[in-house]
Amino acid sequence: MTSIKISSDVFNKYHTNGKLRLSTGYVQEALEKQGYPGHDGVVQILKGKEDIGEQMGHGFTYRIRICDGIFQYNTLVSADIDDQIKREAEHLVEGAIIAITNLSTFSQGAGIKTSFLITGYTLLSRYHQTLSAPEVKPRSHSGNPAEHHGYRPNIVVEDVWPEAESITSEFQENMSNPPAAKMPKRESGGEASHNRVPAPEPHRSRAPPPPARRGPSNTERGVIPIAMVTPYVNNFRIHGMVSRKEDIKNIPAKNMKIFNFEITDSNGDTIRCTAFNETAESFHSTITENLSYYLSGGSVRQANKKFNNTGHDYEITLRNDSVVEAGGELLAAPKLNLKRVSLAEIAGHCGEMIDVLVIVEKMDAEATEFTSKAGKTLTKREMELIDESQALVRLTLWGDEAIKANVDDYHGKVVAFKGVIPREFNGGYSLGTGSGTRIIPVPEISGVSELYDWYTTEKPHSELKLISQTSGGMSEAPRTIAGLQEMQFGKDSDKGDYASVKAMITRINPNSALYKGCASEGCQKKVIESDGEYRCEKCNKSMNKFKWLYMMQFELSDETGQVYVTAFGDSAAKVVGKTAQEVGDLKDENLNEYNATFERLQFVPKMWRLRCKMETYNEEVRQKMTVFSVEEVNQDKYIENLKELIEQMKGIEDEGSY
């Protein structure tokens, strides 16, 4: 590999006190100027590869990703300097530093980032680690100059210049030993000339002047810490980084739009801000996560702790006259402020937003899609969490978070969950996530190393206590139908209790297995047919179509008795093995096959998960059983469960003999 030779001219042009200093904010300047901003830019290459092509008539032979210490940007290198590229391609890789001497930009259309095309550069150095300042982590620029308009950072990002070591040494030596001042020449005869230059005053060391006291700038004037924001502070103005930005939520029932974001100042204090309707749309398009802003004007109200886990007692509602201005500088990412609750204590925080620091013991390999009772398609994914309290709790991820979660990023690692909500169900407790939840794998906070040490050393010998109950499991020993009926199972819970039984369908009426429901999304109301139309009283409208929905009632039997149960939605679809729409189409097209579909369900043993609840009808208390899920019988597991029951019965007999 050829070496990089640095001339004195290049050194003098690009060094700062003998070091290579990146031109922080150069990407933003180039975007604002739509090309070369009038001065060279010293940047670092993060990635580089040969790639010959053409975009919008601009030929290129190389692609690089540059970083100016603040912003990163993908950049093309023009084919016009291909000869230089071929000579120096071995150096244009990760860690190299170049000076951009000429640059143009071009657009590829609306919605596509502006492209950079380097048409001139000087290779300065190589083999550097990724450079950044401690207070700012470099981030990718969106390509929209308006987001950071006027931003000119004074942050220093620099490194030594190994290729110019000899020139640097000479420069530093000259700085340490400046040459002596030359005395003026005297005319012959020893007499001083009348035109001679007066001798310079002897150099006297002088203490530097005291630093000028810097008054507040226009942007800083009147700024108060976020911790001081209360309803009693008028005309407040705060400055901080947007640490969380949520998507706009639409609430059709109230014809309302809501936008929430959180802003954190340099002290680490955070406050939640909310905007509605037109104000929400305006600020959502203005604000960018991880950038700093000045915010003034708004109504301060008591924080709703159910949805607000910032730790602040108040939150801000933005108005039409509220002002949000770009901060003019990038602040360091705020430290994670975790108000940790141990898993063994979540029962005391039901319905509240809490923070936990845990190990992810297990995690579903894939997300699961299902249909809710309201008819909506939902996606979820479950995890099992543990911590030093030796409690095991299940947590559910929803929506996009469930889909994008990578098992390798979570399983067996310390993870912080900020803003999760404990919920009680059937005597157990679990954790749920929401739009305000933040998930931080391996956070840089206290307690992480201690938790991981416990996981690797003490956990293998610890007995974990499951404090979550799952309604969908078949892990406990199965019961009998007669047993459930005799003990009135479910009478001790308003929401009902769950039990597993091994049973078979012995009677089912195909004629009442389906009904015609409202075609509106989320509605499952039975429609009324009239003159070729289908009217939904709930939605208060008539339609020319409907959708088939399950409402099955059938008899389950085991060795001890029989009971009628009900199955709806996805649970019924698991029983039949087809969707309601598929079975409904059979009813219209092939009635014999439709009836055969239900006949094939009978007299086949299955493992049923039933929800049992006592209900009052006409002053008579009845036990109602609903199918939650159904599975094939795992004979090995079933035999083990029976053995456990036998041992328990033996223990009862032994106790009765005394």
Side-chain angles (χ1 to χ4, degrees):
M1 179 180 288
T2 59
S3 60
I4 300 175
K5 297 181 180 179
I6 303 300
S7 67
S8 297
D9 290 340
V10 171
F11 176 81
N12 291 332
K13 185 174 183 179
Y14 295 112
H15 86 90
T16 302
N17 296 328
K19 293 185 177 182
L20 273 175
R21 180 175 295 183
L22 300 187
S23 304
T24 51
Y26 191 80
V27 170
Q28 173 64 21
E29 284 190 77
L31 287 167
E32 286 185 19
K33 299 292 184 180
Q34 297 184 4
Y36 185 70
H39 63 90
D40 295 355
V42 179
V43 298
Q44 185 175 22
I45 296 176
L46 302 183
K47 293 181 182 179
K49 66 175 182 178
E50 183 180 359
D51 187 9
I52 301 174
E54 182 178 304
Q55 288 184 4
M56 306 301 290
H58 301 277
F60 59 89
T61 58
Y62 214 79
R63 287 181 184 267
I64 57 175
R65 183 169 179 82
I66 62 172
C67 178
D68 63 15
I70 302 294
F71 296 113
Q72 302 172 3
Y73 211 78
N74 291 331
T75 308
L76 305 174
V77 184
S78 174
D80 295 341
I81 53 174
D82 187 45
D83 291 341
Q84 181 183 3
I85 292 292
K86 290 178 178 177
R87 292 195 308 270
E88 299 174 345
E90 59 184 339
H91 302 303
L92 300 179
V93 294
E94 180 180 353
I97 295 177
I98 64 172
I100 299 175
T101 60
N102 208 350
L103 176 74
S104 62
T105 64
F106 60 92
S107 174
Q108 299 185 67
I112 303 177
K113 289 175 68 170
T114 298
S115 295
F116 278 10
L117 183 71
I118 294 176
T119 54
Y121 76 92
T122 299
L123 179 62
L124 301 179
S125 188
R126 64 184 180 189
Y127 300 144
H128 294 264
Q129 293 186 355
T130 301
L131 303 181
S132 64
E135 64 268 29
V136 176
K137 182 180 179 181
R139 65 201 70 187
S140 181
H141 199 296
S142 68
N144 180 8
E147 291 183 0
H148 313 284
H149 185 73
Y151 171 54
R152 299 294 183 267
N154 55 6
I155 297 170
V156 175
V157 181
E158 62 183 16
D159 202 2
V160 296
W161 196 346
E163 290 82 359
E165 184 177 4
S166 60
I167 307 176
T168 302
S169 299
E170 182 180 347
F171 167 78
Q172 292 174 341
E173 185 178 346
N174 290 337
M175 292 294 292
S176 302
N177 303 296
K182 293 183 179 180
M183 296 295 292
K185 292 183 179 180
R186 300 174 65 91
E187 295 183 356
S188 59
E191 295 289 332
S193 167
H194 296 288
N195 298 322
R196 71 178 183 270
V197 178
E201 290 286 334
H203 179 74
R204 296 182 177 89
S205 61
R206 184 171 58 183
R213 297 188 65 181
R214 179 174 173 267
S217 66
N218 291 333
T219 54
E220 293 172 333
R221 194 171 289 118
V223 171
I224 66 171
I226 284 176
M228 292 178 60
V229 175
T230 71
Y232 312 105
V233 177
N234 296 322
N235 302 321
F236 67 85
R237 192 163 192 253
I238 58 176
H239 176 217
M241 188 181 77
V242 174
S243 49
R244 181 174 183 83
K245 176 184 177 182
E246 299 179 12
D247 293 331
I248 291 181
K249 297 177 185 175
N250 291 291
I251 305 178
K254 297 183 178 181
N255 193 25
M256 181 187 296
K257 296 180 179 179
I258 303 176
F259 168 48
N260 297 309
F261 65 95
E262 296 173 5
I263 185 167
T264 304
D265 65 11
S266 56
N267 298 323
D269 295 308
T270 303
I271 194 165
R272 183 181 176 92
C273 304
T274 303
F276 297 92
N277 300 327
E278 292 83 3
T279 307
E281 292 180 333
S282 174
F283 285 119
H284 185 268
S285 61
T286 302
I287 289 172
T288 301
E289 195 171 58
N290 296 326
L291 295 185
S292 67
Y293 294 90
Y294 290 89
L295 187 152
S296 58
S299 303
V300 181
R301 63 180 183 180
Q302 195 78 26
N304 185 345
K305 299 295 184 179
K306 187 175 181 180
F307 305 104
N308 185 332
N309 68 327
T310 62
H312 205 292
D313 291 333
Y314 301 98
E315 55 192 32
I316 299 171
T317 300
L318 300 180
R319 305 185 300 251
N320 291 332
D321 60 344
S322 299
V323 178
V324 176
E325 305 171 277
E329 60 181 275
L330 296 180
L331 303 179
K335 293 182 180 179
L336 178 64
N337 183 16
L338 206 69
K339 297 185 177 181
R340 185 184 180 191
V341 175
S342 73
L343 294 180
E345 298 173 342
I346 67 171
H349 299 272
C350 267
E352 302 174 12
M353 272 192 170
I354 64 169
D355 306 334
V356 296
L357 185 69
V358 297
I359 296 280
V360 177
E361 176 75 347
K362 292 182 182 179
M363 180 176 176
D364 290 347
E366 300 289 342
T368 303
E369 190 174 279
F370 67 100
T371 303
S372 69
K373 291 182 178 179
K376 294 183 178 180
T377 301
L378 302 176
T379 306
K380 71 174 184 177
R381 198 168 184 179
E382 291 194 344
M383 296 177 168
E384 289 187 358
L385 313 179
I386 59 174
D387 67 4
E388 306 101 314
S389 66
Q390 300 185 17
L392 188 152
V393 178
R394 290 188 176 89
L395 176 140
T396 305
L397 301 176
W398 297 94
D400 291 339
E401 197 69 55
I403 296 171
K404 69 183 182 181
N406 188 338
V407 175
D408 294 336
D409 293 338
Y410 294 97
H411 184 246
K413 293 183 171 61
V414 179
V415 180
F417 291 86
K418 187 172 180 63
V420 291
I421 303 174
R423 294 188 174 91
E424 186 272 338
F425 182 74
N426 200 27
Y429 298 89
S430 61
L431 294 173
T433 58
S435 59
T437 303
R438 291 176 60 195
I439 305 175
I440 309 96
V442 197
E444 296 180 0
I445 58 174
S446 61
V448 172
S449 58
E450 292 83 355
L451 177 56
Y452 192 75
D453 288 344
W454 170 84
Y455 179 68
T456 54
T457 58
E458 298 183 34
K459 183 263 175 183
H461 313 291
S462 301
E463 184 176 347
L464 299 177
K465 180 183 178 183
L466 175 65
I467 63 175
S468 292
Q469 298 290 335
T470 173
S471 54
M474 300 280 187
S475 56
E476 79 270 21
R479 300 176 183 267
T480 63
I481 290 176
L484 294 176
Q485 292 171 328
E486 289 174 7
M487 66 185 297
Q488 293 187 323
F489 191 75
K491 66 180 180 180
D492 297 325
S493 173
D494 292 336
K495 298 179 180 179
D497 288 322
Y498 290 81
S500 299
V501 298
K502 180 189 175 187
M504 64 179 70
I505 297 175
T506 50
R507 189 176 300 174
I508 186 170
N509 183 2
N511 296 327
S512 59
L514 298 174
Y515 70 94
K516 295 177 180 179
C518 177
S520 300
E521 183 178 358
C523 183
Q524 294 186 311
K525 183 73 174 177
K526 186 176 182 179
V527 295
I528 302 171
E529 293 187 58
S530 177
D531 298 327
E533 290 190 334
Y534 305 91
R535 177 165 180 78
C536 175
E537 295 295 338
K538 181 179 179 181
C539 298
N540 193 25
K541 61 181 180 181
S542 298
M543 296 159 281
N544 58 6
K545 60 180 180 179
F546 65 91
K547 62 184 176 188
W548 286 109
L549 295 171
Y550 278 121
M551 187 176 67
M552 296 170 52
Q553 285 189 317
F554 49 88
E555 183 185 67
L556 280 183
S557 301
D558 67 0
E559 298 85 351
T560 66
Q562 304 84 32
V563 66
Y564 266 90
V565 300
T566 306
F568 302 93
D570 285 350
S571 299
K574 290 179 181 178
V575 174
V576 180
K578 298 177 183 291
T579 66
Q581 190 61 49
E582 290 172 338
V583 177
D585 291 341
L586 277 179
K587 187 174 185 178
D588 293 335
E589 300 167 3
N590 190 338
L591 188 58
N592 289 334
E593 179 59 27
Y594 171 80
N595 291 325
T597 298
F598 291 96
E599 289 176 5
R600 287 193 288 267
L601 301 178
Q602 300 182 62
F603 306 107
V604 180
K606 302 275 187 180
M607 291 300 302
W608 300 85
R609 186 72 169 166
L610 303 177
R611 176 175 174 265
C612 305
K613 185 180 179 182
M614 304 305 294
E615 295 185 348
T616 302
Y617 183 75
N618 287 339
E619 298 183 356
E620 180 183 353
V621 179
R622 299 178 180 178
Q623 185 182 47
K624 181 179 179 180
M625 297 190 189
T626 306
V627 175
F628 186 85
S629 64
V630 61
E631 295 178 3
E632 298 294 330
V633 178
N634 183 329
Q635 295 293 350
D636 293 337
K637 187 175 180 180
Y638 183 63
I639 291 172
E640 288 298 320
N641 287 332
L642 291 179
K643 289 180 179 179
E644 291 178 10
L645 284 175
I646 293 172
E647 292 299 322
Q648 292 175 11
M649 294 174 69
K650 286 182 178 179
I652 295 174
E653 290 179 357
D654 293 340
E655 290 177 4
S657 62
Y658 289 97

